[in-house]
């Protein structure tokens, strides 16, 4: 018998997809049975009270979680998100329901033993509910009480050799794709860069000093498996400078049906004979490819590295040999403006250990943003307010054609204010007077 009736939550179990409601009910049942004989350190019925407060939230159409305030572990300013219920008498199991973020390894490689130890720790000192993984990349441990935080932190750091992740106005936990460990398209070692930056910037990760959160994400190729261009303030995307390598014989093999396109990923249905003209050449965003029936040609100067042709014909087309990375900045998803991609800052930069060139760019951006950014203003919002040219100035990067998203529609050029005698105001007045005659 459920502790709280949940008719609205029960509806979420009726669809064809797995439901988080079912998962919470399963955990509630397991804790009630306690077949392992654990001495639970937080209320046994916290998953049931979690369902109850969520049902009440749906009914009232307003949240019943209060602002968390300041809660954490000694010496750290992040890693724990405080959460308190505003109905503690009705739902005592979730009166305190703090979230702990755990720093994931590069590429999210785990041993089964490590995962069992994490789950055992959380069964004992938390709700048993986890999120693998949060949108930033952390392991998210959902629901514990304030007295358990130091105990959890000690177990993580001393026995599991794991640190807390980032939260608050600091560097959030860096995340990377599998990179060179599994991917033939990797242009740099994303796992190594992620690990290096995590260790280099421990102070920024654990002690909030920024105007708002700041995210690193590392994609080893333009396929963007961690979606860094859309989900991070500082996106490092693998790139190559030279030409795409073409094996013309294997191109013909694809055309002749010897090889399945897309590495056989769409083999579940009969899509008909592979049509290189329709499926590759016509879908090139810059129309830089041609096929004359015998030879595939690519105008590499016009290629934007979208990866489509390589993904469709991986045996025939390969990335170039001169590899490195591009850096994009300022991706964000504010409520009012909506999601925005990062802006290209560095078209190509070497990405080899010790990654000093990348660190220099990062630190120049931080120095400027910490000085000029407003409270709770992401880097992208500061860039929008102060102008992309200002970002180029503080990083010492010269403007180049790759920074231009589209040709200007106003022929009048605005120079830097200090370069215009009398300032912009006088210059604009002169411009208007000439055009009003």
């Amino acid at each position: 018998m459920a502790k709280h009736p949940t008719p609205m939550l029960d509806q979420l179990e009726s669809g064809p997809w797995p439901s988080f409601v079912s998962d919470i009910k399963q955990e509630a049942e397991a804790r009630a049975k306690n077949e392992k004989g654990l001495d639970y350190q937080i209320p046994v019925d916290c998953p049931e009270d979690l369902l109850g407060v969520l049902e009440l939230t749906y009914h009232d159409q307003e949240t019943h979680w209060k602002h968390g305030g300041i809660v954490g572990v000694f010496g750290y300013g992040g890693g724990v998100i405080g959460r308190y219920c505003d109905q503690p008498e009705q739902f005592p199991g979730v009166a305190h329901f703090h979230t702990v973020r755990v720093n994931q390894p590069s590429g999210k490689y785990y041993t089964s033993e490590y995962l069992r130890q994490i789950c055992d720790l959380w069964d004992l000192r938390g709700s048993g509910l986890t999120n693998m993984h949060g949108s930033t990349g952390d392991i998210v441990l959902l629901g514990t009480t304030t007295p358990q935080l130091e105990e959890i932190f000690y177990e993580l750091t001393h026995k599991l050799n794991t640190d807390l992740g980032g939260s608050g106005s600091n560097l959030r936990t860096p995340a990377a794709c599998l990179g060179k460990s599994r991917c033939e398209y990797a242009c740099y070692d994303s796992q190594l860069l992620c690990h290096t930056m995590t260790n280099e910037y421990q102070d920024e990760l654990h002690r909030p000093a920024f105007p708002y959160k700041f995210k690193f994400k590392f994609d080893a190729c333009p396929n963007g498996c961690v979606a860094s261009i859309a989900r991070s303030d500082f996106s490092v995307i693998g790139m190559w400078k030279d030409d795409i390598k073409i094996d013309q014989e294997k191109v013909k093999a694809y055309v002749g049906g010897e090889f399945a396109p897309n590495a056989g990923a769409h083999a579940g249905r009969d899509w008909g004979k592979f049509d290189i003209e329709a499926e590759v050449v016509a879908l090139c965003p810059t129309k830089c490819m041609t096929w004359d029936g015998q030879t595939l040609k690519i105008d590499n100067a016009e290629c934007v590295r979208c990866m489509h042709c390589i993904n469709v014909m991986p045996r025939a087309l390969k990335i170039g040999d001169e590899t490195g990375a591009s850096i994009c900045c300022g991706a964000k998803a504010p409520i009012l403006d909506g999601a925005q991609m990062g802006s290209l800052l560095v078209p190509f930069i070497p990405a080899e250990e010790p990654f000093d060139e990348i660190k220099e760019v990062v630190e120049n951006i931080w120095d400027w943003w910490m000085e000029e950014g407003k409270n709770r203003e992401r880097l992208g919002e500061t860039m929008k307010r102060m102008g992309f040219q200002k970002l180029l100035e503080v990083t010492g990067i010269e403007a180049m054609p790759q920074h231009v998203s589209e040709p200007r529609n106003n022929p009048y050029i605005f120079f830097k204010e200090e370069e215009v005698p009398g300032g912009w105001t006088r210059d604009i007045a002169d411009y208007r007077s000439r055009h009003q005659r």
Side-chain angles (χ1 to χ4, degrees):
M1 179 87 181
K3 182 178 179 181
H4 306 284
T6 56
M8 285 185 281
L9 292 182
D10 294 344
Q11 293 181 34
L12 297 178
E13 297 182 276
S14 61
W17 308 108
S19 171
F20 72 94
V21 176
S22 300
D23 292 341
I24 299 175
K25 288 181 178 180
Q26 180 179 343
E27 182 61 26
E29 183 180 349
R31 288 175 73 87
K33 292 180 178 178
N34 193 14
E35 294 178 348
K36 295 180 180 179
L38 296 176
D39 180 17
Y40 292 122
Q41 298 299 297
I42 74 169
V44 175
D45 59 356
C46 65
E48 293 184 276
D49 279 353
L50 178 61
L51 290 169
V53 74
L54 185 56
E55 179 75 17
L56 183 63
T57 294
Y58 282 11
H59 178 272
D60 295 346
Q61 297 185 16
E62 65 178 12
T63 183
H64 286 286
W65 298 110
K66 298 189 295 184
H67 186 273
I70 303 300
V71 62
V73 297
F74 184 74
Y76 278 30
V80 178
I81 299 95
R83 187 167 286 114
Y84 300 89
C85 178
D86 68 3
Q87 304 292 324
E89 297 82 9
Q90 188 175 356
F91 307 107
V94 293
H96 296 196
F97 202 73
H98 308 319
T99 291
V100 178
R101 288 182 178 164
V102 180
N103 195 329
Q104 82 285 0
S106 286
K108 300 185 178 70
Y109 279 105
Y110 300 103
T111 64
S112 56
E113 179 185 7
Y114 175 85
L115 292 175
R116 288 191 185 96
Q117 290 175 323
I118 282 281
C119 291
D120 288 345
L121 170 62
W122 200 239
D123 281 340
L124 178 65
R125 300 193 179 279
S127 69
L129 301 171
T130 65
N131 180 359
M132 304 285 285
H133 295 79
S135 59
T136 298
D138 307 276
I139 299 175
V140 179
L141 305 179
L142 296 163
T144 192
T145 59
T146 303
Q148 295 302 313
L149 293 176
E150 290 291 348
E151 304 291 342
I152 292 165
F153 181 57
Y154 182 89
E155 294 270 342
L156 286 172
T157 54
H158 288 71
K159 297 183 179 180
L160 298 181
N161 196 29
T162 301
D163 205 353
L164 295 184
S167 67
S169 295
N170 63 0
L171 174 62
R172 297 299 179 87
T173 314
C177 68
L178 297 174
K180 290 189 174 182
S181 67
R182 291 293 299 274
C183 182
E184 64 183 303
Y185 305 143
C187 297
Y188 71 95
D189 192 338
S190 56
Q191 287 182 269
L192 178 59
L193 177 55
C194 182
H195 183 74
T196 300
M197 299 294 267
T198 302
N199 288 329
E200 179 79 14
Y201 297 117
Q202 282 289 295
D203 197 52
E204 289 78 6
L205 183 61
H206 295 306
R207 295 165 187 89
F210 293 157
Y212 201 20
K213 56 188 164 185
F214 191 95
K215 296 182 179 182
F216 287 143
K217 292 194 187 300
F218 306 102
D219 279 314
C221 83
N223 274 324
C225 290
V226 294
S228 65
I229 195 171
R231 300 171 56 231
S232 64
D233 302 88
F234 191 89
S235 164
V236 183
I237 304 172
M239 190 59 56
W240 67 92
K241 289 181 72 173
D242 52 342
D243 296 348
I244 294 175
K245 293 180 287 189
I246 308 174
D247 187 325
Q248 297 292 350
E249 294 304 315
K250 290 182 179 178
V251 172
K252 293 176 184 177
Y254 275 104
V255 174
E258 182 180 341
F259 299 142
N262 298 286
H266 306 307
R269 289 175 57 184
D270 182 10
W271 300 95
K273 189 177 185 299
F274 175 62
D275 184 346
I276 189 173
E277 195 69 50
E279 298 180 43
V280 178
V281 175
L283 295 180
C284 176
T286 57
K287 309 301 179 189
C288 70
M289 307 181 75
T290 59
W291 168 252
D292 62 6
Q294 294 294 322
T295 304
L296 180 69
K297 295 181 180 179
I298 300 176
D299 182 358
N300 284 276
E302 295 298 321
C303 174
V304 292
R305 313 299 196 264
C306 77
M307 294 293 291
H308 174 70
C309 62
I310 297 176
N311 291 334
V312 175
M313 302 189 296
R315 296 192 185 206
L317 303 176
K318 304 289 184 183
I319 65 172
D321 294 321
E322 190 178 354
T323 57
S326 296
I327 296 175
C328 295
C329 291
K332 60 190 186 299
I335 295 173
L336 296 179
D337 294 341
Q340 298 175 41
M341 297 286 193
S343 299
L344 180 67
L345 178 64
V346 184
F348 188 86
I349 192 169
E352 298 177 355
E353 204 171 11
F355 307 109
D356 289 337
E357 296 91 343
I358 295 174
K359 293 175 186 175
E360 182 180 358
V361 176
V362 169
E363 291 168 12
N364 285 337
I365 290 173
W366 281 348
D367 288 344
W368 170 66
W369 181 51
M370 292 170 71
E371 182 72 24
E372 301 290 348
K374 296 181 179 180
N375 185 40
R376 295 182 68 82
E377 183 177 64
R378 294 286 291 272
L379 173 65
E381 293 168 302
T382 306
M383 288 165 53
K384 183 177 180 180
R385 177 168 59 85
M386 302 197 67
F388 185 75
Q389 185 180 13
K390 190 65 180 177
L391 184 65
L392 294 176
E393 290 178 18
V394 299
T395 54
I397 296 169
E398 294 185 6
M400 56 190 71
Q402 290 93 331
H403 290 138
V404 180
S405 59
E406 61 184 24
R408 68 179 187 272
N409 52 29
N410 184 343
Y412 185 67
I413 300 173
F414 287 88
F415 295 90
K416 296 178 184 178
E417 185 172 7
E418 61 269 21
E419 295 178 354
V420 179
W424 279 343
T425 304
R426 174 181 169 184
D427 217 36
I428 294 171
D430 291 346
Y431 170 76
R432 287 175 176 170
S433 65
R434 289 197 304 272
H435 283 263
Q436 288 172 355
R437 294 182 187 134

